[in-house]
Amino acid sequence: MKEKLKEHIENLIALTDDEFLHILSHFSFENYKKNDFLIQEGEQVKNCYLVVSGLLKLVYDDKNGKQHIVSFAMEDWWESDFSAYFSQTKAKMSLQCIEDTIVFSLSFKNYQKLSAELPKMNCFFLEKSNSGHIASQNRILSFLTSNAKEKYEQLLKQYPLLFQRVPKTLLASYLGVSRETLSRLSS
Amino acid sequence: MKEKLKEHIENLIALTDDEFLHILSHFSFENYKKNDFLIQEGEQVKNCYLVVSGLLKLVYDDKNGKQHIVSFAMEDWWESDFSAYFSQTKAKMSLQCIEDTIVFSLSFKNYQKLSAELPKMNCFFLEKSNSGHIASQNRILSFLTSNAKEKYEQLLKQYPLLFQRVPKTLLASYLGVSRETLSRLSS
DNA sequence: AGTCGCGTGTGACATACATCACTAATTGTA
DNA sequence: TACAATTAGTGATGTATGTCACACGCGACT
């Protein structure tokens, strides 16, 4: 399993074996079952997570009790309620397992320690943050330019796997349309 | 004007005078008029920009010739078509002045040079990227949870200034509603 | 002074989508 | 095996918002 983390980081920056062991010591390896929460709305956000296998949803529950999916997180993705993580405040969103999921977990303290001790990790985090930012911007564009059907098609094109792994209800909640509307798109 | 850049960076990381001069030499200082383009869709994206004063819009033109505003950029904001900037490809979006605007410009080459020579700049860029990412996520949430009126009110609350500086038509295009609908919200 | 362009408001109408209600297939499990 | 829970499809109806059309005020420029 360590290999996974090593590969993942070495995709972006070169590491000596010592450096990797040092990095590894800052992470913890965790196992979750379907429906488990990694982050619960209202609680302190201590960690961010790298998904090794499985599938997570980052959800916001609005005042009417309706769930909105801000993001799916699959293999090789970093996820957290980053707003709360970086400011060390309470979570506005929840992070929950759609499938059994294995993650590497990085506490905020260890994150700070790591970037201080090994500056090149900042390069790594920067690349990750940039991709996240760009992905979000594309999603915004999709909201601005597309109707339900187009958004659905874009999603399928971008993540063909997702479609078999998650109930349509969740896809609808990610796209911002009702499950009934989504259902009618296929026909 | 150099002061502005110095303050802006020192908000996040400490700098010696020498370090700042070194940083400064990587930037260029530029002046644009209302309606000028900093980035034109289809062209190579060479720079990203820190807005010193003025106001920019990051726009996407869809296949029907309709304009969609992905982002406004005001004082102290970094903006570019980051997707194209980091991958050094053609712009999918345009960056254009809503008002006369003064910026510091950083070429991709100089960006790379700077982060190699002065690793702590990566901390700075990382913080900026994170805020961008979080802002985009909030915008997505707004699309998921809110109708036209709520989105408009959230925008006014977040940027009370904007409302006096830009035509309603542009606000509508940012919110993803027609100008007519936006107009009817006030009454 | 007059003309033009731009931003804005507003009525009439069209439509994409939400909501509610019901049914049915599938899955997990007592 | 049977029962509840989850997921999905679909009809009827309501509504928020888009689209088209036109009018008005206002600043810029000749």
Side-chain angles (χ1 to χ4, degrees), chain A residues 144, chain B residues 57 59 65-70 72 98 139 152 155-156 162-184 186:
Chain A
L144 286 174
Chain B
K57 60 178 180 181
V59 300
K66 216 173 185 176
Q67 273 214 348
H68 304 275
I69 297 191
V70 176
F72 291 110
I98 297 176
R139 179 117 178 264
Y152 184 52
L155 180 63
L156 289 192
L162 209 56
F163 157 81
Q164 296 133 25
R165 290 167 74 179
V166 320
K168 301 275 170 69
T169 311
L170 291 187
L171 294 185
S173 154
Y174 176 86
L175 294 174
V177 301
S178 68
R179 61 161 205 86
E180 292 93 334
T181 296
L182 190 67
S183 166
R184 280 185 257 263
S186 326

Side-chain angles (χ1 to χ4, degrees), chain A residues 15-28:
Chain A
L15 293 179
T16 66
D17 286 355
D18 278 356
E19 281 172 337
F20 174 66
L21 287 178
H22 181 233
I23 290 170
L24 183 61
S25 72
H26 290 73
F27 282 84
S28 86

Side-chain angles (χ1 to χ4, degrees), chain A residues 21-37:
Chain A
L21 287 178
H22 181 233
I23 290 170
L24 183 61
S25 72
H26 290 73
F27 282 84
S28 86
F29 186 72
E30 297 170 3
N31 236 298
Y32 294 91
K33 291 274 165 211
K34 182 172 173 173
N35 295 325
D36 282 356
F37 285 90

Side-chain angles (χ1 to χ4, degrees), chain A residues 66 147-148 176-178 180-181 184:
Chain A
K66 216 174 186 174
N147 62 21
V177 300
S178 68
E180 292 93 333
T181 296
R184 280 185 257 263

